[in-house]
Amino acid sequence: MTPKVAVITGPTATGKTGLGIALARALNGEIVGADSMQIYRYMDIGTAKPTKAEMDGIAHHMVDCVSPFESYSVSRYVADASACIDDILARGRLPVIVGGTGLYIDSLLSGRDFAPEGVSLGLRAELSAEFDACGGENMLLKLAACDPESAARLHPNDRKRIIRALEIYRATGMTKSEYDRATRAVPPRYHAGIIALTFTDRQDLYDRIDRRVDVMLWQGLEQEVRSLLDMGLGPQHTAMQAIGYKEMAAALTGGCSVSQAAEDIKRASRRYAKRQLSYLARNRDIHWIQWEKSPDFASGLLISTNFLTASGVI
């Protein structure tokens, strides 16, 4: 029987943490984070990481578990998160996956495989050096020789995708299209009931995002980013590309004022929420909960429980 999990997702600032904790408490569950930035230690305020008080005694996994100096891949997330889920299930509890990083959630649920991590990392470094030495035009020609379909879709400046397509071919012997088709044919890893949160009026979401940024500043986002910079973190580290950190770091290193950084964070967060909604809209299996002016967790818990019961998760 396919293992069962619940998922609470949605754009930033929609109350995922609160509903996830309420659901885990009601259903004898534990939280498995699915946020690509909450995994990093020392990054609490800008990622809206739940505090101990907010966790309310509910076990949280895949939160605050990686050094911000590390580059963390989707394949590593799937390996780590699935190990957490297997442990939760073995103890007779319900895994509740909570977060807004759609690629993490889709990859975790889908059962798709990845090229062996050790081989992949070695190839990536080799291909990156090759790209630097040869340039995009020559690397695209190399890709065209083994994977013309992918090459035809890419621009010579698209370093990341050119390297990824070559990496897949050299690691697996398949073109990227063949690899994608093969992974899509794999049965899902979990039977999931997916619940996504949003607001009936998009402006209410945007207003909530703006207020959250104001609260982050009051809580000490500037000091948190300053501490990270003092640790030696910089724009070359993935963690410092997170919304909130990138903009504040620019202000602290002389790029703009803190007040301008705050406006930039709000704008980037609103745009990110819009992208998250567009990404989720493609999934017809999602059950949406639409809040009015603010989240109603009592109502959300009832709706979520009914949906998970009807979908066979509980």
Side-chain angles (χ1 to χ4, degrees):
M1 181 180 293
T2 306
K4 300 174 181 178
V5 301
V7 178
I8 303 294
T9 189
T12 186
T14 49
K16 298 184 293 294
T17 295
L19 182 58
I21 290 170
L23 193 64
R25 178 168 297 286
L27 300 178
N28 189 34
E30 298 182 13
I31 304 293
V32 178
D35 185 295
S36 62
M37 293 301 157
Q38 287 188 357
I39 60 171
Y40 291 114
R41 291 189 287 271
Y42 316 118
M43 299 175 63
D44 303 332
I45 297 170
T47 64
K49 194 179 295 177
T51 64
K52 289 292 184 184
E54 288 170 332
M55 289 179 183
D56 197 25
I58 300 298
H60 280 63
H61 309 269
M62 302 306 300
V63 174
D64 210 31
C65 56
V66 177
S67 165
F69 288 94
E70 295 185 54
S71 181
Y72 197 78
S73 66
V74 178
S75 58
R76 184 175 167 191
Y77 171 79
V78 170
D80 292 346
S82 59
C84 292
I85 290 173
D86 291 346
D87 176 64
I88 294 167
L89 290 166
R91 290 184 282 107
R93 300 173 72 87
L94 177 68
V96 182
I97 301 165
V98 179
T101 303
L103 182 60
Y104 275 21
I105 294 172
D106 287 352
S107 299
L108 178 61
L109 299 180
S110 68
R112 58 180 287 197
D113 197 8
F114 295 87
E117 186 68 14
V119 174
S120 179
L121 289 175
L123 274 177
R124 195 167 304 160
E126 176 187 325
L127 288 164
S128 293
E130 193 175 338
F131 194 103
D132 291 338
C134 299
E137 293 281 359
N138 288 325
M139 290 297 281
L140 193 58
L141 288 173
K142 291 183 179 184
L143 179 61
C146 60
D147 185 355
E149 184 179 350
S150 293
R153 293 196 299 265
L154 298 177
H155 187 276
N157 292 340
D158 198 342
R159 175 193 180 97
K160 182 178 179 180
R161 288 183 174 84
I162 292 172
I163 288 175
R164 179 57 178 158
L166 283 166
E167 178 186 12
I168 288 172
Y169 183 78
R170 294 188 187 179
T172 68
M174 292 187 285
T175 67
K176 187 177 185 302
S177 296
E178 291 169 341
Y179 179 77
D180 289 343
R181 284 192 290 270
T183 54
R184 283 196 297 268
V186 176
R189 183 179 281 106
Y190 303 109
H191 171 54
I194 307 174
I195 297 157
L197 310 181
T198 188
F199 285 81
T200 301
D201 187 335
R202 182 74 62 87
Q203 189 58 48
D204 288 332
L205 171 60
Y206 293 160
D207 291 344
R208 185 174 170 87
I209 288 170
D210 289 350
R211 290 194 298 271
R212 170 182 274 192
V213 174
D214 289 336
V215 170
M216 287 176 175
L217 292 167
W218 175 80
Q219 290 174 328
L221 177 61
E222 179 182 346
Q223 290 74 18
E224 181 170 85
V225 175
R226 193 182 299 278
S227 295
L228 293 168
L229 292 171
D230 290 344
M231 290 169 59
L233 286 157
Q236 73 274 22
H237 297 105
T238 301
M240 292 300 282
Q241 293 301 312
I243 294 173
Y245 294 87
K246 179 181 180 180
E247 295 83 1
M248 187 59 70
L252 296 178
T253 54
C256 64
S257 67
V258 170
S259 60
Q260 182 59 55
E263 293 305 312
D264 292 343
I265 294 168
K266 291 176 182 179
R267 182 170 57 254
S269 298
R270 293 192 297 266
R271 288 174 176 171
Y272 179 51
K274 186 176 180 179
R275 292 196 301 272
Q276 288 175 298
L277 285 167
S278 297
Y279 185 94
L280 291 168
R282 298 179 297 183
N283 188 341
R284 297 183 179 180
D285 295 328
I286 285 177
H287 184 77
W288 287 90
I289 295 177
Q290 293 191 337
W291 307 125
E292 293 301 326
K293 290 296 182 181
S294 62
D296 179 351
F297 293 128
S299 172
L301 178 59
L302 178 61
I303 294 169
S304 300
T305 303
N306 288 341
F307 169 69
L308 293 172
T309 300
S311 59
V313 172
I314 60 173

